[in-house]
Amino acid sequence: MSKPIVTLATCADFPNLDEDDRGLPQALYERGIEPRIAVWNDPGVDWSKAGVVVMRSVRDYARKRNYANFLRWARSLERPLNHAEIVDWFGDKHYLKDLAARGVPIIPTTWLEPSANLSKHQVHTRFPAHGDFVIKPAISSGGRGTGRYTATSATSRSAAINDTMHHLARGRTVMMQRYLESVDQTGELSLVYFNGVLSHAVQKKPMLHPRFKAVDEVHEEIVEAREPSEMEWLWGERVRRALHAQIKERAGRDIQVLFNRVDVVSDGAGGFYLMEVSLVDAPLYLNAAEGALENFADAIAQRVFW
């Protein structure tokens, strides 16, 4: 009897998957699955024979020239994980508005839309008068295009204006958020779920030092596994419930999520802000936490053999 096929979708920058996922093919093989690896936009791949397709290192999907093609590719798949409708929604951080409407606290955000045709002066007036702030495109991967700036520095403020205009000119919505001091103090917490169940959590060290900006480069993450507190676990569940309710409402039916990562940061007042929910190409820190790789392989196997 032939084994079921699982194709791990990646991009040309990571033709053999990224380092975090490289143990996954062997783990799937040990579970009676034939693993394959394919670049999502490789014209030589016959995706009708790909079996279950698990999106992994598809880090280039957010580039403007790729995004529409990526969504068309995802919709063409017979058995994508995560589902194409989820990818369509979560590829763009406007989903944060939907989760906020469901009561999930997000970092206060000013949304600068390309359709507004803002001038440099208009962009300037939307920045805060003091403190540090962050500029990021609404469609991005791996922190690409994100920068931290200082409101009271003319040089930094000018750089923020130029970088914002860079994104807007390329049709990208820009998010402007105040930089939270709690990030410098405690970093971010990532909660990783497989098939709706918490697998593991990691603490991420601050990435954006005061002089950091990256218009087109990817940020390197430094993580350490740890057990979430009961409050953190409960807050993650709150986000997960809102997430699934939103997916059900948008799709008109229940769609099971294979993997998702919830990134939170302290709000400085005993609670948390949601930074983002990652369901497309999220690093899942499989090498950072004991048992994480096995948990992910088990979760895939459950979906394959259902």
Side-chain angles (χ1 to χ4, degrees):
M1 181 181 296
S2 61
K3 295 181 178 180
I5 297 169
V6 168
T7 299
L8 304 172
T10 184
C11 67
D13 293 336
F14 301 96
N16 298 309
L17 303 175
D18 68 11
E19 183 177 352
D20 195 51
D21 289 320
R22 284 182 190 152
L24 191 54
Q26 180 62 31
L28 293 175
Y29 179 81
E30 292 170 357
R31 286 159 176 78
I33 294 169
E34 179 185 334
R36 298 179 182 177
I37 302 171
V39 173
W40 71 269
N41 54 358
D42 181 348
V45 176
D46 183 353
W47 291 99
S48 67
K49 299 179 180 179
V52 172
V53 178
V54 178
M55 298 180 196
R56 292 311 312 128
S57 314
V58 289
R59 303 286 160 73
D60 61 351
Y61 83 90
R63 297 172 188 167
K64 183 181 179 182
R65 66 179 183 273
N66 283 343
Y67 190 59
N69 290 332
F70 180 78
L71 292 180
R72 281 193 291 270
W73 167 78
R75 295 187 190 107
S76 74
L77 300 173
E78 294 182 8
R79 298 181 68 187
L81 297 174
N82 284 317
H83 196 279
E85 290 183 67
I86 295 174
V87 170
D88 193 358
W89 182 38
F90 280 90
D92 186 325
K93 291 184 178 62
H94 280 92
Y95 70 78
L96 289 169
K97 290 185 175 183
D98 298 321
L99 294 182
R102 291 184 178 275
V104 175
I106 67 171
I107 298 174
T109 302
T110 298
W111 301 82
L112 307 178
E113 302 291 348
S115 59
N117 295 315
L118 299 174
S119 66
K120 284 189 175 184
H121 176 71
Q122 289 172 319
V123 167
H124 168 80
T125 62
R126 285 160 173 77
F127 292 163
H130 57 84
D132 284 6
F133 61 99
V134 173
I135 293 294
K136 65 176 73 171
I139 299 176
S140 66
S141 174
R144 185 179 285 106
T146 300
R148 177 179 172 184
Y149 310 86
T150 300
T152 55
S153 165
T155 300
S156 183
R157 198 176 184 93
S158 177
I161 293 171
N162 290 335
D163 290 346
T164 299
M165 298 303 292
H166 169 89
H167 293 310
L168 292 175
R170 287 156 179 77
R172 304 168 185 162
T173 297
V174 172
M175 304 165 62
M176 191 281 292
Q177 301 172 330
R178 287 190 177 275
Y179 186 79
L180 302 178
E181 292 184 3
S182 59
V183 174
D184 284 337
Q185 296 165 0
T186 61
E188 301 174 31
L189 177 69
S190 289
L191 302 158
V192 181
Y193 297 82
F194 298 140
N195 288 336
V197 178
L198 180 66
S199 167
H200 57 284
V202 301
Q203 194 76 31
K204 297 193 289 188
K205 293 186 178 181
M207 294 187 295
L208 302 181
H209 60 69
R211 294 180 300 281
F212 192 96
K213 69 187 183 83
V215 174
D216 286 311
E217 66 181 81
V218 177
H219 296 189
E220 180 181 358
E221 293 182 327
I222 301 175
V223 304
E224 181 178 353
R226 74 167 177 83
E227 288 294 321
S229 67
E230 182 177 0
M231 180 181 297
E232 291 166 339
W233 182 85
L234 289 171
W235 207 90
E237 286 297 302
R238 176 181 178 183
V239 174
R240 190 185 63 79
R241 287 194 297 270
L243 163 70
H244 282 271
Q246 184 66 23
I247 291 173
K248 184 176 181 179
E249 179 179 298
R250 285 179 63 93
R253 65 189 191 284
D254 284 320
I255 297 179
Q256 183 69 35
V257 176
L258 171 63
F259 65 88
N260 72 280
R261 199 188 77 205
V262 174
D263 294 345
V264 301
V265 62
S266 170
D267 65 3
F272 298 92
Y273 284 128
L274 173 65
M275 298 283 284
E276 66 175 306
V277 178
S278 301
L279 294 101
V280 182
D281 67 326
L284 301 175
Y285 312 120
L286 302 179
N287 294 325
E290 184 177 356
L293 176 64
E294 289 74 18
N295 291 346
F296 192 33
D298 286 341
I300 295 171
Q302 287 173 7
R303 302 295 291 276
V304 169
F305 292 112
W306 277 356

